Amino acid sequence: MNRLLTTVVVGLAGIQGITLAAESRPKLVVGIMVDQLRTDYLENLRDMLSSGGFRRLMESGVYFKDVDFNVPGGDATSASAIVQTGSYPKFNGVTGKMVYDPSSKTLSPVYKDINYIGNFTDETYSPGALRVSTLTDEIAVENKGMGRIHSIAPDAAQAITLAGHVANSAFWVNDETGRWSSTTYYPNPPAALQNKNYNSPLVSRLDTMKWQPLRKGEPYIDIPDQEIKEGFKYTFSRSDRDVFSLYKQSPYVNSDVTQAATEYINDLNLGNGPEGIDVLNLGYTLAPYSATQGDNYEYPLQDAYLRLDKDLEKLFNILDKKVGRENVLIYVVSTGYFAEPPIDNSIYCLPSGSFSVKRSMSLLNAYLSAKYGNGAYVDQYSDRHVYLSKPVLEEKNLDLNEIAKESRDFLMKMSGVADAYTLSDLATPPSKHLDSERLAVDPKISGDIVMDFNPGWTVIDDSRYPPQPQINKSTSYDTPGFIMGPQFAPKVVEETVEAVSIAPTLAKSLRIRAPNSAESKSLKLDLLK
């Protein structure tokens, strides 16, 4: 780790731009990614929000009403990588939380690395899959190792993305035990979260958690009176095998991230070091709660917004008190999509259907076997990607590109499939739509065919057990971003801005180099100084 930092610092020190004097820079940068944050919810709930949380961002910061990630699919991990690197998955190497491993024919964590040991987890990780520098890395380079850099998020992949290559620590909630976990890749983990595993473990608190409306009996936006009267209640039983997964989708994980961040600010005295810029990056979630049924997610989701609003108010107040408003740069960005819970469209006579992965891959394999002789031509399907078996094709002396094209043409005839592309199709895209597909795909780890599905169709991956319905991730909603700091004049930006422009904009305000794969120039914003 130290050798890596020394190499980066020496290699880039000579090309650093003109820097601000230390006293004119923020002493602490706080980066926040909020999974599935939507602009319409913030606007609709505005009168219910506190003055110190989301409304403070909306009124005192630069408020981007729509941040476009410009790629289909994705998740909190890939979105965080786009914002942190200023580049798309094709270049930064992070297409999502999980990637397909052809050697084991299984999905594997994108940051899996057996060279490091997990702290309070059996899984081992490093940011090795992140092939380019991040905004956080560039701050570390400018610091010459003197600032402190930490990240906290519900999931390992997002925490590591937010930490980057040169952080002191990254912590997340373990999926199996509920413990705060990390990896020995990061050399200086604070004691606060490790102590929580002993003094106040999540498992000891689960049975006391009851998620009920924050505003009991009071109106929410467009929620029927009967629903308001009945309310809702979700509990977390230690006997439930999915309890930690459910906890990580609930407002309680946001509150725990906020509490951990507060302890970091207090215990580590972040933003008050003698030299360098400290960084604290956080992950939150506003995804629809999976325990709800169909379109009944609306009431608890609005409640989750109001609860996160209070968490942000708490966080901002601590920053004001401990670091000073004039010393903190805060940026908050959505992940750019919304995972709509499945609804039975047939009830409303809307076009819909189910795409069975197992049946479709069997039909494709039968078609290729009939034409080229028996064989297991289809290796696996994973998240829109179809992987063909390279050993089988080599054994039969078949050209991969030709078989991929035949497979593409066969798949496009199936019900529910809107389109399909080979890697060759994406290499020279003839349209803006295909260009977005190209940017979302890393050729080094992608499948041989990439599929798109018709709106309203549910893709069921029944090739695995238990079968997994793949939630439709819509990018049709406006998703916001914010930058708030003493050097930025408050402003509402109505025009759509690209997510890849956030990192260069922040880098320019800090007078440091943008991430080395940044796709965009910085946005032209009004600076106060």
Side-chain angles (χ1 to χ4, degrees):
M1 167 60 65
N2 290 334
R3 288 197 300 273
L4 171 62
L5 179 55
T6 301
T7 301
V8 173
V9 171
V10 171
L12 298 177
I15 59 172
Q16 286 299 325
I18 298 173
T19 59
L20 286 171
E23 61 268 21
S24 66
R25 284 177 165 169
K27 296 180 179 178
L28 176 63
V29 174
V30 178
I32 298 173
M33 292 295 300
V34 185
D35 189 29
Q36 302 182 55
L37 174 65
R38 280 171 47 178
T39 304
D40 57 344
Y41 275 83
L42 292 181
E43 293 291 347
N44 292 337
L45 294 169
R46 191 169 192 146
D47 291 342
M48 300 183 197
L49 301 174
S50 66
S51 60
F54 278 119
R55 272 177 53 193
R56 177 170 163 183
L57 291 168
M58 298 164 81
E59 296 167 5
S60 300
V62 181
Y63 172 19
F64 305 105
K65 285 198 168 182
D66 185 33
V67 178
D68 187 2
F69 283 75
N70 198 32
V71 291
D75 58 19
T77 301
S78 61
S80 298
I82 290 173
V83 170
Q84 276 288 313
T85 66
S87 65
Y88 296 105
K90 175 179 174 61
F91 305 105
N92 65 42
V94 179
T95 58
K97 176 181 176 180
M98 307 293 287
V99 295
Y100 179 65
D101 179 5
S103 62
S104 63
K105 297 188 179 182
T106 60
L107 287 175
S108 177
V110 64
Y111 291 125
K112 184 177 180 179
D113 189 337
I114 61 173
N115 295 309
Y116 295 91
I117 301 171
N119 294 330
F120 298 101
T121 175
D122 294 333
E123 296 175 304
T124 56
Y125 301 111
S126 84
L130 194 57
R131 294 200 297 259
V132 297
S133 75
T134 68
L135 177 68
T136 303
D137 292 337
E138 298 297 342
I139 293 174
V141 169
E142 177 64 21
N143 280 340
K144 296 179 172 60
M146 292 181 288
R148 284 84 53 84
I149 298 175
H150 301 278
S151 80
I152 310 167
D155 287 314
Q158 188 180 31
I160 291 170
T161 304
L162 295 174
H165 298 93
V166 203
N168 299 94
S169 78
F171 269 91
W172 59 86
V173 179
N174 183 272
D175 290 331
E176 302 298 327
T177 65
R179 290 183 169 188
W180 287 106
S181 302
S182 186
T183 168
T184 54
Y185 175 89
Y186 298 107
N188 300 306
L193 294 185
Q194 298 182 80
N195 291 339
K196 276 185 177 294
N197 287 329
Y198 296 109
N199 301 329
S200 180
L202 174 62
V203 69
S204 70
R205 298 182 284 122
L206 280 172
D207 288 340
T208 67
M209 293 180 178
K210 292 182 177 62
W211 179 15
Q212 295 177 287
L214 189 64
R215 295 160 48 95
K216 290 184 178 179
E218 297 183 42
Y220 283 68
I221 303 300
D222 297 328
I223 303 299
D225 291 341
Q226 185 61 32
E227 278 193 54
I228 296 293
K229 182 178 179 180
E230 293 174 357
F232 63 83
K233 182 171 72 172
Y234 300 106
T235 58
F236 303 85
S237 172
R238 283 182 288 181
S239 61
D240 187 342
R241 60 181 297 178
D242 298 322
V243 66
F244 297 119
S245 171
L246 292 170
Y247 156 79
K248 288 171 64 171
Q249 300 171 38
S250 78
Y252 285 108
V253 76
N254 293 334
S255 296
D256 281 350
V257 168
T258 302
Q259 182 59 38
T262 298
E263 293 180 17
Y264 273 37
I265 295 165
N266 287 328
D267 297 351
L268 303 179
N269 208 23
L270 293 180
N272 291 288
E275 296 181 273
I277 302 172
D278 293 335
V279 178
L280 180 60
N281 288 337
L282 307 173
Y284 290 110
T285 181
L286 283 172
Y289 192 53
S290 67
T292 59
Q293 299 295 320
D295 54 3
N296 292 327
Y297 68 85
E298 184 75 27
Y299 191 3
L301 183 56
Q302 289 188 26
D303 194 72
Y305 271 76
L306 299 180
R307 289 177 179 273
L308 179 56
D309 178 60
K310 291 189 175 297
D311 284 321
L312 291 178
E313 182 178 42
K314 177 182 177 181
L315 176 66
F316 296 161
N317 286 341
I318 290 293
L319 291 170
D320 290 348
K321 180 180 178 181
K322 294 293 184 178
V323 189
R325 188 175 296 200
E326 71 281 4
N327 296 318
V328 183
L329 172 63
I330 299 170
Y331 64 97
V332 180
V333 188
S334 170
T335 52
Y337 67 91
F338 183 66
E340 296 178 290
I343 297 173
D344 187 356
N345 289 314
S346 63
I347 296 176
Y348 309 100
C349 300
L350 297 177
S352 62
S354 296
F355 180 89
S356 165
V357 168
K358 184 176 181 180
R359 177 177 178 275
S360 301
M361 294 306 105
S362 294
L363 288 173
L364 173 59
N365 198 78
Y367 166 75
L368 295 174
S369 293
K371 189 167 185 178
Y372 298 106
N374 289 335
Y377 295 90
V378 181
D379 210 2
Q380 187 58 269
Y381 169 95
S382 177
D383 192 19
R384 303 195 306 133
H385 290 242
V386 178
Y387 294 81
L388 299 175
S389 174
K390 310 305 187 291
V392 171
L393 298 184
E394 290 173 3
E395 178 186 337
K396 293 181 177 292
N397 198 29
L398 296 173
D399 182 75
L400 172 60
N401 290 330
E402 290 302 317
I403 300 303
K405 289 177 183 178
E406 288 199 54
S407 300
R408 172 202 64 192
D409 295 344
F410 182 82
L411 290 168
M412 286 174 61
K413 297 174 183 178
M414 292 186 175
S415 299
V417 177
D419 216 335
Y421 326 99
T422 67
L423 290 184
S424 296
D425 295 332
L426 299 179
T428 54
S431 67
K432 184 177 180 180
H433 171 69
L434 274 191
D435 190 52
S436 296
E437 290 280 358
R438 177 182 66 86
L439 294 174
V441 168
D442 178 1
K444 295 178 178 62
I445 58 175
S446 74
D448 302 292
I449 304 103
V450 183
M451 305 172 68
D452 272 348
F453 297 95
N454 289 328
W457 278 67
T458 301
V459 179
I460 300 176
D461 190 350
D462 46 4
S463 65
R464 309 176 194 278
Y465 184 82
Q468 294 293 319
Q470 296 182 355
I471 304 300
N472 176 38
K473 295 178 180 177
S474 173
T475 56
S476 63
Y477 298 99
D478 286 355
T479 55
F482 305 90
I483 300 176
M484 185 171 68
Q487 65 271 57
F488 287 96
K491 182 178 183 179
V492 177
V493 179
E494 299 282 353
E495 300 82 7
T496 297
V497 302
E498 294 187 349
V500 292
S501 66
I502 300 295
T505 302
L506 293 166
K508 183 178 180 180
S509 76
L510 295 169
R511 301 287 179 88
I512 65 173
R513 192 185 80 154
N516 59 15
S517 67
E519 296 272 320
S520 172
K521 293 182 178 180
S522 63
L523 298 167
K524 291 178 172 58
L525 301 175
D526 298 327
L527 299 181
L528 297 178
K529 61 179 181 178

